[in-house]
Amino acid sequence: MGLKFCAPASLFLLLSLPAFAYGWGVDGHAIICQIAQERLSESAAAAVEDLLPNYAKNNLSSLCTWADRVKFRYRWSSPLHYIDTPDGLCTYDYDRDCKDEDGVKGRCVSGGITNYTNQLLDYGNSSSESQYNLTEALLFLAHLMGDVHQVLPQIEEETPLTSAGTEGNRCCTILLSMTPNTTMQVWDDNIVETAEERFYDDNVEEFTEAIKQNITGEWSDQVVKWEKCSNNKVACPDVYASESIEAACDWAYKDVKNNTQLEDRYFLSRLPVVNLRLAEGGVRLAATLNRIFG
């Protein structure tokens, strides 16, 4: 099977900074895929519709967490859920960090994005039938492009989260114990869900629309830069991974001590970071698919 793998992605961020990984919850992935699908070129939109299973009804966001749901069936994909960076560093280096525990290079989220991008380039090749399952390649790529824009991790182990506070404030009831579980929960789900609850009447569509308005408004002068990929590459996952580890160092643990309850100040100051990464993930997923199917 070589490196033709499937890769739901994540990255570990520990207290000592960072062995890091990425992942969004269901709503985060849905937001990224919805933003992306609405920005597809005509040819890319047609290819995505062709590759999506009929039951998806041409809605990429409905299957944006498929890669997470199948990771226990595709157990060989586990090493592709994360990138481990050395403790104490706020940098990412592909040659140093993109490998599994056996040292096999390319077995990380960045390698997964590159792999599935290359598989999808086979689409429409009339010379022979593709050797790849291009529907799965699309779903993995859509998921991983979201994951690589997350600041904090998704981890395999399931241990209890420590919580405190009042009912109905999802973000600020989490007592940060500086373990991968609690920090992952805050950044994957709680910040997004708290924003939806507090500002958008628990409506993910309204939250998505607000981010889209920022893309065409406040961030419009940055979008062209987000879309670009240097050296004529189709995808640039190492750039996105580097951005995320820097954001983790700058925001996730900054001014936070062990066993301290997260308050509104943490939520409100980190929400713009989450919004920006969701926007960048959606724009870049669309740009990558447009280059693949262009």
Side-chain angles (χ1 to χ4, degrees):
M1 197 164 195
L3 288 181
K4 299 298 185 283
F5 45 72
C6 301
S10 313
L11 307 172
F12 291 102
L13 179 64
L14 305 179
L15 174 60
S16 54
L17 287 178
F20 77 109
Y22 315 98
W24 294 103
V26 172
D27 286 359
H29 278 292
I31 289 168
I32 287 170
C33 281
Q34 185 173 335
I35 290 170
Q37 191 163 17
E38 294 178 11
R39 299 180 63 88
L40 294 178
S41 65
E42 184 176 346
S43 59
V48 167
E49 182 175 11
D50 182 42
L51 290 174
L52 284 174
N54 291 335
Y55 64 81
K57 298 180 179 179
N58 195 28
N59 181 3
L60 180 61
S61 66
S62 71
L63 290 176
C64 228
T65 55
W66 174 87
D68 276 338
R69 298 200 299 270
V70 300
K71 65 182 178 182
F72 299 109
R73 176 156 58 97
Y74 293 156
R75 292 184 180 275
W76 50 265
S77 69
S78 292
L80 308 173
H81 286 239
Y82 57 86
I83 295 174
D84 280 325
T85 63
D87 291 352
L89 294 183
C90 292
T91 61
Y92 161 71
D93 180 85
Y94 180 89
D95 291 332
R96 182 191 67 200
D97 305 327
C98 191
K99 56 190 176 184
D100 63 17
E101 61 182 13
D102 296 321
V104 180
K105 287 192 173 182
R107 303 277 292 176
C108 76
V109 59
S110 180
I113 289 172
T114 299
N115 177 67
Y116 289 111
T117 296
N118 290 336
Q119 288 190 23
L120 287 168
L121 290 171
D122 240 17
Y123 179 80
N125 186 350
S126 58
S127 60
S128 63
E129 187 175 344
S130 175
Q131 61 180 307
Y132 308 117
N133 184 325
L134 297 184
T135 293
E136 291 192 355
L138 171 65
L139 298 182
F140 276 118
L141 177 62
H143 183 87
L144 298 182
M145 282 292 291
D147 279 349
V148 81
H149 284 84
Q150 228 288 40
V151 173
L152 275 183
Q154 206 171 14
I155 63 175
E156 299 289 335
E157 296 80 6
E158 295 183 4
T159 56
L161 296 176
T162 305
S163 62
T166 59
E167 186 70 24
N169 191 343
R170 298 169 184 158
C171 176
C172 302
T173 63
I174 296 298
L175 185 69
L176 186 63
S177 60
M178 300 308 247
T179 65
N181 289 77
T182 48
T183 49
M184 174 272 288
Q185 182 77 10
V186 169
W187 284 82
D188 281 6
D189 295 305
N190 297 136
I191 293 178
V192 171
E193 291 173 356
T194 300
E196 290 172 355
E197 179 182 62
R198 186 176 296 187
F199 304 127
Y200 304 105
D201 295 324
D202 274 328
N203 190 313
V204 66
E205 287 79 15
E206 289 186 13
F207 189 16
T208 305
E209 189 60 35
I211 294 175
K212 284 160 44 180
Q213 289 178 8
N214 279 340
I215 291 172
T216 57
E218 179 182 352
W219 298 325
S220 60
D221 59 340
Q222 303 178 52
V223 170
V224 172
K225 182 180 178 181
W226 296 349
E227 292 175 323
K228 285 183 178 178
C229 202
S230 60
N231 299 321
N232 293 319
K233 292 182 179 178
V234 180
C236 290
D238 291 337
V239 173
Y240 316 148
S242 295
E243 291 173 351
S244 287
I245 187 59
E246 290 174 7
C249 291
D250 290 342
W251 293 102
Y253 291 116
K254 186 177 182 180
D255 300 327
V256 178
K257 298 179 181 179
N258 271 343
N259 298 312
T260 57
Q261 187 172 339
L262 300 182
E263 303 291 348
D264 256 14
R265 182 164 55 181
Y266 187 94
F267 163 67
L268 293 171
S269 61
R270 272 61 175 183
L271 178 59
V273 180
V274 169
N275 290 346
L276 181 64
R277 294 307 279 167
L278 290 170
E280 290 172 330
V283 167
R284 285 165 167 167
L285 173 57
T288 301
L289 291 174
N290 288 341
R291 285 190 286 265
I292 290 170
F293 299 121

